[in-house]
Amino acid sequence: MAIGPRLDIRQSQTLALTPQLMQSIKLLQLSHTELSQFVEEELMRNPLLEREDGGDDRVSEDEPTLRADDRAVDVSSRSDNMGSAVSVAQEMDTDVANLYPEQVGQDSLSQSLSWPEGKHTSGGQDGGDFEQFATGAKSLNDHLIEQISLILKHPGDMLIASALIENLNEMGYVDASLDQIADQLGTELGHVEAVLEAVQGCDPLGIFARDLAECLAIQLREQDRLDPMMQMLLDNLDMLAAHKITELQKLLGTDAEDLGDMIGEIRRLDPRPGRAFEGGNVQAIVPDVYIRRGNNKEWLIELNQDVLPKVLVNRTYLASVSASAKKGEDKTYLSECLQTANWLTKSLDQRAQTILKVTKEIARQQDGFLNHGVSHLKPMTLKMVAEEIEMHESTISRVTSNKYVSTPRGLFELKYFFTSAIHSASGNADHSAESVKYRIKQLIDAEDPKKILSDDKIAAILNKEQSMNVARRTVAKYREAMGLASSVMRRRQKRELVR
């Protein structure tokens, strides 16, 4: 067989990622703040784009889903300019419809989805009341999330930690009561208290305290200076504030010199650890989408109209400049601007509809969590959602990244709802990995100090009582991920506590 160069003709199909397609994919994973910045840059760069000005676009339950005044294009204005639009289209060798993409590309932003189908939400009167630290250049919120992701492994614990962050005030104290947070998340008070104790070791020290005394106690404990006398002083800070030094000496049973040293230690602590990062200004994380309960107890899903950038093509300006454009490069520039403007309006609409579809499917699959709380989170993967809504897993991953949803149980990032599955021993529905972890933690917290549960025993209990098909090594892995000691170590620790 002769070996040498030759020419062959082959026919093949390949997927070409155009710059605009790559940009559309990038838009999916942008947060609403990043998207707003991107749109602002496009508005500055493209003279044919303008921001849509208008009032409240939200629809009420008694109105049709799509209203005439929800359209981005004014019909009367379109009629007046139709002649010039046709001439511009002919000159640019394009269709007239391409000059009005925003009529198609923006209408659906005013729509809302519900599960089950059939209704949409009214204007969200309670949509903007979720105060939480916003993402930014190393904000307190970013700083805490980085640490919490290392401290906590159980997804249920992460949800509780997220709720605690949501309720931090500007000084770094937890404003809401733990009972309120436990009730909101549908979990036990002891579970919230355990998570709070774990995250109170975060930097800056003193964060997540519920009052000044606890804030100072956290810092002193880290320095190994929280002895009973110091704790008694913290319990009577009101007397210290009132300068009742003599009364404090008698109460503590100490002399003036020791009391002075203790007061000096307290003065060196930081009573406002939260202010070390934000400089006094606290921004809010605004949800991208809302999940609310409707009148018929179905879940209603609605995009947050306040964070959706709405842009349209300035047709009047396009018609005027096209008439005076004589040079070929001018026409080419206008054609490119028009193409970019059309792409942006359609991409924004596609992004919004994708967020709605994904959130709707999450609400359907995580109905148990929305109704009953953390312990009812079901196993859910990107693939499960992708198959249901007929999208690629990578698309679901991009959509759920940096997007927040407001639910009756708090404000969460969409990706928090994805957990792995543990098969049921009884053949019933599978259990989510975090519900298994939650049950393991419950068993360990409630165990008798005289009868410490081994990993084998915990696995047997889960299989018999909870129909959770877990092996001993799985129990050990989950226990270690939650930072829980082995049965040998727990036996020693609890014996010391009993003594």
Side-chain angles (χ1 to χ4, degrees):
M1 181 176 68
I3 299 177
R6 65 179 184 178
L7 294 175
D8 289 327
I9 298 177
R10 295 182 181 179
Q11 186 176 7
S12 62
Q13 290 182 333
T14 58
L15 178 63
L17 287 176
T18 64
Q20 286 191 341
L21 179 57
M22 294 175 65
Q23 198 71 281
S24 297
I25 294 174
K26 180 181 177 182
L27 288 184
L28 283 176
Q29 62 190 24
L30 295 182
S31 66
H32 67 81
T33 53
E34 294 168 335
L35 181 65
S36 296
Q37 182 179 356
F38 175 81
V39 171
E40 286 293 337
E41 293 173 355
E42 288 297 317
L43 286 168
M44 294 292 292
R45 185 165 36 236
N46 194 330
L48 300 184
L49 279 174
E50 67 177 2
R51 188 181 302 280
E52 177 188 356
D53 295 324
D56 191 356
D57 291 329
R58 296 182 183 178
V59 293
S60 67
E61 294 186 357
D62 298 328
E63 295 174 319
T65 305
L66 199 59
R67 303 180 310 200
D69 58 352
D70 279 335
R71 297 183 177 181
V73 179
D74 180 70
V75 178
S76 61
S77 173
R78 184 183 64 181
S79 301
D80 295 339
N81 294 295
M82 183 59 72
S84 59
V86 171
S87 62
V88 171
Q90 291 174 348
E91 188 174 354
M92 291 189 171
D93 192 24
T94 185
D95 295 330
V96 178
N98 289 335
L99 298 176
Y100 303 93
E102 63 274 19
Q103 186 170 354
V104 177
Q106 297 287 321
D107 282 350
S108 54
L109 297 186
S110 298
Q111 301 181 49
S112 56
L113 296 176
S114 63
W115 178 73
E117 296 281 352
K119 301 189 77 174
H120 53 273
T121 61
S122 58
Q125 64 268 20
D126 57 352
D129 296 333
F130 289 86
E131 291 297 327
Q132 191 169 358
F133 295 101
T135 56
K138 204 60 174 180
S139 66
L140 177 61
N141 181 60
D142 295 332
H143 189 62
L144 293 175
I145 288 177
E146 287 179 2
Q147 299 175 75
I148 287 173
S149 63
L150 298 175
I151 297 173
L152 303 175
K153 301 301 181 183
H154 181 208
D157 293 347
M158 292 290 292
L159 290 175
I160 294 174
S162 177
L164 291 172
I165 293 177
E166 179 184 346
N167 287 284
L168 287 178
N169 61 24
E170 63 179 8
M171 295 191 298
Y173 295 174
V174 178
D175 268 344
S177 70
L178 300 189
D179 288 311
Q180 178 183 344
I181 295 175
D183 183 63
Q184 183 184 40
L185 296 178
T187 188
E188 298 175 357
L189 176 60
H191 190 186
V192 179
E193 289 176 338
V195 173
L196 177 64
E197 183 179 354
V199 299
Q200 280 182 341
C202 290
D203 177 76
L205 284 176
I207 204 75
F208 291 112
R210 285 162 286 184
D211 52 40
L212 175 60
E214 186 173 31
C215 175
L216 301 177
I218 293 171
Q219 298 175 58
L220 289 168
R221 186 180 298 111
E222 181 67 19
Q223 300 173 13
D224 197 23
R225 285 293 297 120
L226 189 62
D227 52 40
M229 187 176 295
M230 182 66 81
Q231 183 63 61
M232 189 179 298
L233 177 58
L234 295 179
D235 294 338
N236 294 275
L237 287 177
D238 55 335
M239 295 178 64
L240 180 59
H243 299 285
K244 297 181 179 180
I245 305 300
T246 304
E247 289 86 340
L248 276 174
Q249 286 181 238
K250 294 179 180 179
L251 179 65
L252 302 179
T254 185
D255 55 29
E257 183 179 355
D258 286 342
L259 181 58
D261 291 340
M262 295 167 66
I263 294 174
E265 288 186 62
I266 289 178
R267 286 175 176 170
R268 289 190 290 270
L269 303 176
D270 185 1
R272 299 175 180 179
R275 292 200 172 184
F277 282 79
E278 31 69 24
N281 292 325
V282 180
Q283 296 177 324
I285 280 185
V286 181
D288 298 88
V289 62
Y290 298 106
I291 297 179
R292 300 190 180 100
R293 190 179 295 280
N295 294 333
N296 296 329
K297 296 190 177 180
E298 76 274 27
W299 294 114
L300 307 177
I301 293 86
E302 179 190 18
L303 286 169
N304 184 358
Q305 301 289 331
D306 294 335
V307 300
L308 288 176
K310 297 181 181 179
V311 295
L312 49 81
V313 180
N314 190 330
R315 303 179 311 281
T316 304
Y317 179 71
L318 173 62
S320 64
V321 297
S322 297
S324 59
K326 304 300 182 182
K327 296 181 179 180
E329 56 266 28
D330 294 338
K331 294 180 181 180
T332 301
Y333 173 71
L334 287 176
S335 178
E336 291 175 352
C337 288
L338 178 61
Q339 183 181 9
T340 302
N342 292 345
W343 161 80
L344 181 59
T345 56
K346 293 176 182 178
S347 295
L348 290 176
D349 174 68
Q350 184 179 18
R351 176 183 182 274
Q353 292 306 312
T354 304
I355 293 175
L356 274 177
K357 289 181 69 175
V358 171
T359 307
K360 179 184 177 183
E361 183 60 24
I362 289 175
R364 187 185 73 82
Q365 295 198 30
Q366 297 294 359
D367 179 69
F369 166 77
L370 296 174
N371 281 307
H372 306 293
V374 176
S375 60
H376 287 74
L377 266 176
K378 293 181 179 179
M380 186 175 70
T381 62
L382 295 174
K383 183 178 181 181
M384 292 168 62
V385 174
E387 289 177 347
E388 289 294 331
I389 63 177
E390 298 181 348
M391 289 185 177
H392 197 271
E393 290 180 51
S394 62
T395 302
I396 308 301
S397 177
R398 291 185 178 95
V399 168
T400 54
S401 182
N402 300 316
K403 310 295 186 305
Y404 289 85
V405 56
S406 169
T407 75
R409 301 204 171 272
L411 183 64
F412 305 105
E413 193 172 4
L414 286 174
K415 68 178 182 180
Y416 284 152
F417 294 99
F418 293 90
T419 62
S420 56
I422 298 295
H423 297 296
S424 173
S426 61
N428 296 326
D430 292 343
H431 304 276
S432 70
E434 70 176 78
S435 66
V436 175
K437 291 179 181 178
Y438 178 69
R439 183 57 184 146
I440 291 173
K441 191 173 188 305
Q442 280 186 320
L443 291 172
I444 290 177
D445 289 343
E447 66 187 353
D448 188 339
K450 298 180 180 179
K451 296 181 180 179
I452 299 298
L453 299 175
S454 64
D455 293 339
D456 283 314
K457 182 62 176 177
I458 292 175
I461 293 174
L462 294 177
N463 278 273
K464 182 179 180 180
E465 299 180 4
Q466 306 292 324
S467 297
M468 295 177 176
N469 189 17
V470 294
R472 182 205 62 80
R473 62 180 179 276
T474 303
V475 173
K477 181 178 71 173
Y478 286 174
R479 174 181 54 74
E480 292 172 359
M482 291 186 288
L484 300 176
S486 65
S487 57
V488 175
M489 292 299 298
R490 295 201 310 275
R491 185 176 293 107
R492 294 176 182 173
Q493 293 170 356
K494 294 190 176 184
R495 282 177 178 175
E496 292 178 359
L497 290 176
V498 171
R499 292 176 184 175

